[in-house]
Amino acid sequence: MDVPHRPPRHPHAWLPLLLLSQLLVAWAWWRWGWPLGLPLMLASHGICLWGVLAPNVALYGPVLSRLPTADRSVWLTIDDGPSDDTAAILDLLDAHGAKATFFLVGERAAARPGLVREIVARGHGIGNHSLTHPQARFWALGPRRMRAEIEGGQQALATITGTAPRWFRAVVGHANPFVSAPLHEAGLARVGWSARGFDALDGDVERVLGKIERDLAPGAIVLLHEGAAHGRNPGMIAQLLQRLDARGYRTVLPDP
């Protein structure tokens, strides 16, 4: 499927906008005092934080959250591997004639290169999901560490497969101002999602699948995980594939 691939074109565009907003806040504070200046300052900071924490917000660069199609097709994306679940998930996908993109963590990929090559050999996609998956602090990484996470993940996966990934999934979906520059330089486009069940945390299969099904629609990007502590990710994916088949959905991968 032909999907717009949009790496950030102007990775530092946020900086003049931020400076301008704070100059306006300072002017309003000087002109009308704190009763207006303080709320404006809090609002401007809130908008900046919203762009960091909200997964599909494009404040710091483009993010793809659904496919441009009216067909009953979805893009399955599987985060956090490779893991002990990867082989079982590949067999499930094969059994249903389904395809998915695996957003892999660089260090985990380097530890299990055979699984990474098997993903590619079976016709699935590979995406960059950072080098070390620092989920508690990815949102607050500075420019040097952010670059190391993105470039390190890219290098690890390219070394194993011979091809650099084209898609990036931010850890926990967070993206601060320092994400765009390394994505621009690596030619990576950021991918969000439009359907999720919180399967990385919730081990209740019916509850997880119910949340995903509520958001299923033509062009949905479905967020899934592997290797969760509850150990039920393969079972969840098995049932999701059955339900997709029953509802007439097919899985697609973005070109190429």
Side-chain angles (χ1 to χ4, degrees):
M1 172 178 286
D2 186 15
V3 175
H5 180 265
R6 297 176 58 204
R9 294 179 60 189
H10 306 289
H12 303 293
W14 60 272
L15 182 56
L17 293 175
L18 176 64
L19 294 175
L20 178 60
S21 72
Q22 298 313 295
L23 285 173
L24 289 173
V25 168
W27 177 81
W29 201 308
W30 171 80
R31 180 68 176 79
W32 289 289
W34 70 266
L36 181 61
L38 180 59
L40 284 177
M41 183 185 71
L42 294 176
S44 68
H45 291 185
I47 291 171
C48 292
L49 188 60
W50 171 65
V52 170
L53 300 180
N56 291 323
V57 172
L59 185 62
Y60 300 118
V63 55
L64 179 68
S65 58
R66 65 182 316 109
L67 302 179
T69 181
D71 296 338
R72 293 179 72 82
S73 57
V74 298
W75 183 10
L76 298 183
T77 62
I78 304 173
D79 287 10
D80 295 356
S83 71
D84 291 339
D85 294 338
T86 305
I89 291 172
L90 288 172
D91 290 342
L92 288 168
L93 292 169
D94 282 353
H96 288 266
K99 297 299 180 184
T101 295
F102 289 74
F103 283 90
L104 303 178
V105 178
E107 285 189 346
R108 298 172 191 174
R112 303 187 185 205
L115 283 176
V116 179
R117 296 189 188 101
E118 185 68 14
I119 292 170
V120 175
R122 298 207 198 184
H124 303 289
I126 296 288
N128 182 342
H129 194 39
S130 81
L131 177 63
T132 68
H133 200 268
Q135 63 183 37
R137 60 188 185 280
F138 186 84
W139 67 277
L141 295 183
R144 182 177 299 178
R145 178 65 190 279
M146 183 66 74
R147 182 177 297 278
E149 286 292 335
I150 293 173
E151 292 182 351
Q154 194 78 342
Q155 182 177 355
L157 296 172
T159 298
I160 295 168
T161 66
T163 303
R166 300 176 72 243
W167 303 99
F168 176 75
R169 167 73 49 73
V171 180
V172 200
H174 296 163
N176 70 25
F178 307 117
V179 165
S180 290
L183 293 186
H184 169 79
E185 292 165 16
L188 283 163
R190 184 159 60 101
V191 180
W193 57 79
S194 58
R196 71 180 301 187
F198 296 91
D199 59 321
L201 301 173
D202 192 348
D204 187 305
V205 176
E206 286 302 318
R207 187 162 56 228
V208 166
L209 294 181
K211 292 175 182 175
I212 293 174
E213 285 188 295
R214 281 197 295 271
D215 292 325
L216 274 182
I221 299 177
V222 182
L223 172 61
L224 301 164
H225 294 82
E226 60 175 296
H230 55 64
R232 297 189 177 95
N233 290 137
M236 291 173 178
I237 292 174
Q239 291 201 34
L240 175 62
L241 291 170
Q242 292 172 8
R243 297 186 190 192
L244 290 175
D245 289 344
R247 294 178 60 171
Y249 279 93
R250 65 188 183 97
T251 61
V252 295
L253 295 178
D255 292 332

